[in-house]
Each structure stands twice: as C-alpha cells, then as structure tokens.
Amino acid sequence: MILLKRRNFLSGAAAIGAGLMTGGMPRFANAQSSEITVTAFGGVWEEAVRTCFVAPFEAKSKAKANVSLGGPPQWLAQVEANPAKPPLDVLIMTPDLALTAAKADLVDDFTVANLPNLAKIPQQLTDSVMGKGTLFDYGVGGITFHRERVKSPPKSFAEFVDRVAAGEFVASLPSISYAVTPIMLIWAMAKALGGGVDNVDPFFKAMEKMKDNLVFWAGPNDFFNHLSSGEAELGIYFDGRTWNHYDSGATWIDFINPTEGGSLNGVAVQKPKNANPLAWVYINEVLDAANQTKFAEIMNYGVTNTDVVYSEKLKPRVTPWEKTAFPPYEQIALVPIEGALRWTRECGRKHPRGGRRSAGRACHDFRIGNTQWPILRRLPFPEHSRC
C-alpha cells in the first residue's frame, strides 16, 4: 500500500529566499508596542492584505503594521530561530506548516476571548490546525475546461478519468514539481476513486489509464497556455485562478467543482508565542466579515467568516467549503512513510496529438522511491503562485 507524508518544512526555506520588509528590516517583537510585523505573499496578495487587513487595523488601533513578504517556510524558520523574541507577529501558513508550528508549541491558542470574530469561523477550520490558528481563505482544486471545445464537461473525477482515458480529451495536470500536487491531484483523486491518505493506488491506476492523453504543467501559467493553445481541453486547476483568467478576457474558460468535491487548499493565520499582543487586534481584522468580503472580491477565492455575503459576481464562483474534499492535514502529517512519489520518467514525448512538447512534464510509469516529498508546502496564491 502506498502512503503519503509531508517532508520537513525547512527543506523549502532556502528556495523561498529572504523576505522583503516594506517598512524596514524585521524587528524583535515587543521592541515597539505601537508596531507589529505581519506577513503576506507578493503581488496582488500583498495589495489585498494592505487594503483589507492592514488599513482597518491601523485605523482602529492607531498602530503600524509593517508587511514582510516571503513564504511560509521562511517565516516559520524565522520564528523557530528566535521563539523568545519572534521577528514576526502574525504568520500566514499553509495548513501543514501551521500544524508543524502548533506541535512545536511556537504559536498561541486561538480563543474567542482574544478574537471575537473567531466565533464566526467554523470550528472545523480552527480544529484543523489544532486550535492554534484558523483558516481564513481557501481555494478549490477542480476541473477547469475550455467551454468552446468541451460542450459537456465531466462532472466528477471518475468521469474525468474515464473520458480522458478513452481519448475524448487531452488533460493538463499539475506535475510533481508543483508544490500542492500531492493534495490537489494525488490525494483528491485517490479519495474520489476509493482510496485516501493511506492508499493512493487508485490514483496511480487512473494515471496509467490516462497516460496517453496527458500533458503536465509545472506552473499555473503553463496550464492556461495549454488550454488557450489547444494542447489540452481541460485539466485540474484552481477556481480562483480560473476566474482571474476569465476576468482578464479569457471568457472561454470555466470551472466545475467535481461531485466528489475538489480539494480545499486553505491558508491559516497564526500568532507566534511572545509576539506583540497587538497581533490579536490585527488577526481579528483578518477574521472580520467585511474585511474578508473585500479580500474575496480582490482574490476570487473563498473566505471563512460565516457572515460574509458574496457579490452577485462572486457568489456562483465560490465553492462553499462544506462542498469540498477537506484534507485531513494532521493525518497526512502523521502517516508513516514507506517512500515517496517518484516521477521515474520525464518523457520528452510529443503531445498526444502530435503537437509540441508540453510546457510542463509529460510523465508516466509512477512508482514509489525512497525520498520524501512535500504534501502542502506551496508558494503563494493566484498572482502570488499559491494556486
């Protein structure tokens, strides 16, 4: 039986590189009680954080929030290096790294006493990171397709596999080099086909069936290029990125949440222990319904406060988290490993229909090797490469 596990979070810290401070170099927490340092991914994500969270925090508290850009492995490494005086007051984390921080006792418990708006966040989203943080934003990995070429798209993962295997479509899938592939593709498809965390054999069997009609993308822009160029008709992709393309003029693109539920890929917020107490005021703004509503409109992704009311434009685009496949993050992190996915052949094969080679990696003959690989260590979201 094939088993899954996340590798040590620090393995990706070097690749992320040093974060940039927009308001000066990182400071030690509590050195100035009127300032905190919060975190954000780059690009539109940073703009959304400044507009939706930093601005209301500064207006209400009369304090300053400096923004440190980078990624979760880097930020967690910084806190671990100096837990007594963490250089960051608020962390944005992928769920697996949020669990790493929680289990290492690096972050504080979330309570309604400290965060009144936590009462409006579904308990499961807080429990998913052991109550030491909560999810405030999420994307869904589902089926994105070219509506002019796919008149009747598959509604489920099972139908997707059968129709791609039959040669009706060429599908574009994330390659193993993409950080969230283990969740959005491997675990999600395995679960949909009868497997799960401790048994991804159904996924590998499906890949074997589809292998002659697949191309792979190494980055989100590759996927868009596959569909726009005709290399593929559909594939596995994120809802928010799909709608960002649509809003940019690609009105031929569309998204379906599979009937089994696409994977929920969440973003957690946490407070390091010994961080400036003003961090609680900032995090409460992150969990505020009005602020999250603005954030969702900018990002095209779902948010978690139950009082959020999406606009007429956004409402049909956002999949309620209850209709997703909610990854068992802690179980994934605890599963003993018998090896990791090995991409045994990077086939320089031609596109299944004779076209140019995929911008991603077209590979098959999946087996198990002896090295570990990440479950959820991802880079930032749309326009920031999260998903």
Side-chain angles (χ1 to χ4, degrees), residues 155-159 188 191-193 257-262 323-325:
K155 301 298 192 297
S156 67
F157 279 120
E159 184 184 354
K191 180 180 182 296
L193 300 177
N257 179 41
T259 56
E260 304 96 340
K323 294 184 179 181
T324 69

Side-chain angles (χ1 to χ4, degrees), residues 87-205:
L88 304 169
D89 298 300
V90 178
L91 299 176
I92 288 174
M93 290 282 110
T94 54
D96 64 323
L97 297 190
L99 284 167
T100 297
K103 291 174 183 178
D105 201 30
L106 293 172
V107 289
D108 282 325
D109 291 320
F110 272 29
T111 66
V112 174
N114 286 326
L115 297 166
N117 286 326
L118 186 65
K120 296 296 183 177
I121 308 299
Q123 187 64 41
Q124 184 178 347
L125 306 186
T126 303
D127 291 344
S128 70
V129 290
M130 298 175 58
K132 294 179 178 292
T134 194
L135 305 188
F136 73 95
D137 169 53
Y138 66 93
V140 179
I143 300 170
T144 294
F145 61 98
H146 195 303
R147 66 170 75 185
E148 295 173 4
R149 301 190 188 113
V150 182
K151 302 299 184 183
S152 177
K155 301 298 192 297
S156 67
F157 279 120
E159 184 184 354
F160 177 95
V161 171
D162 288 344
R163 293 173 71 180
V164 171
E168 186 176 347
F169 310 118
V170 170
S172 177
L173 303 182
S175 75
I176 195 59
S177 67
Y178 191 60
V180 294
T181 293
I183 284 290
M184 72 178 291
L185 178 65
I186 300 173
W187 172 80
M189 190 171 286
K191 180 180 182 296
L193 300 177
V197 171
D198 58 352
N199 177 20
V200 295
D201 288 337
F203 164 77
F204 289 107
K205 291 176 181 177

Side-chain angles (χ1 to χ4, degrees), residues 150-368:
V150 182
K151 302 299 184 183
S152 177
K155 301 298 192 297
S156 67
F157 279 120
E159 184 184 354
F160 177 95
V161 171
D162 288 344
R163 293 173 71 180
V164 171
E168 186 176 347
F169 310 118
V170 170
S172 177
L173 303 182
S175 75
I176 195 59
S177 67
Y178 191 60
V180 294
T181 293
I183 284 290
M184 72 178 291
L185 178 65
I186 300 173
W187 172 80
M189 190 171 286
K191 180 180 182 296
L193 300 177
V197 171
D198 58 352
N199 177 20
V200 295
D201 288 337
F203 164 77
F204 289 107
K205 291 176 181 177
M207 294 298 286
E208 179 66 24
K209 290 171 61 177
M210 296 188 292
K211 67 183 182 183
D212 291 332
N213 299 300
L214 295 178
V215 292
F216 289 78
W217 52 270
N221 289 336
D222 295 337
F223 176 85
F224 178 77
N225 291 337
H226 287 164
L227 264 63
S228 62
S229 69
E231 285 192 80
E233 287 80 35
L234 45 65
I236 304 301
Y237 200 54
F238 286 104
D239 53 355
R241 274 197 174 269
T242 298
W243 299 121
N244 286 338
H245 291 309
Y246 184 96
D247 290 342
S248 296
T251 54
W252 46 261
I253 203 167
D254 207 343
F255 177 87
I256 287 178
N257 179 41
T259 56
E260 304 96 340
S263 64
L264 181 146
N265 297 269
V267 179
V269 59
Q270 295 180 299
K271 176 188 172 293
K273 287 193 169 183
N274 302 312
N276 191 323
L278 274 172
W280 292 125
V281 181
Y282 178 84
I283 294 171
N284 201 53
E285 294 300 318
V286 173
L287 304 183
D288 177 79
N291 296 340
Q292 286 199 2
T293 300
K294 294 177 185 177
F295 189 83
E297 286 293 330
I298 295 172
M299 300 303 300
N300 264 315
Y301 278 100
V303 288
T304 59
N305 187 304
T306 55
D307 285 346
V308 167
V309 177
Y310 296 113
S311 67
E312 292 303 311
K313 170 187 172 182
L314 199 57
K315 186 174 181 180
R317 297 181 174 186
V318 173
T319 301
W321 72 269
E322 300 93 334
K323 294 184 179 181
T324 69
F326 196 94
Y329 300 115
E330 186 170 10
Q331 183 183 356
I332 288 169
L334 290 174
V335 168
I337 194 160
E338 290 181 354
L341 188 71
R342 185 173 70 199
W343 231 247
T344 56
R345 287 189 300 208
E346 295 198 10
C347 329
R349 62 188 172 115
K350 292 182 178 180
H351 183 286
R353 294 182 183 171
R356 67 180 176 83
R357 182 179 177 181
S358 163
R361 299 179 178 181
C363 307
H364 55 85
D365 190 17
F366 303 91
R367 295 292 184 270
I368 289 298

Side-chain angles (χ1 to χ4, degrees), residues 362-380:
C363 307
H364 55 85
D365 190 17
F366 303 91
R367 295 292 184 270
I368 289 298
N370 295 315
T371 57
Q372 295 185 2
W373 49 283
I375 282 293
L376 261 179
R377 198 198 76 251
R378 63 184 174 203
L379 297 176

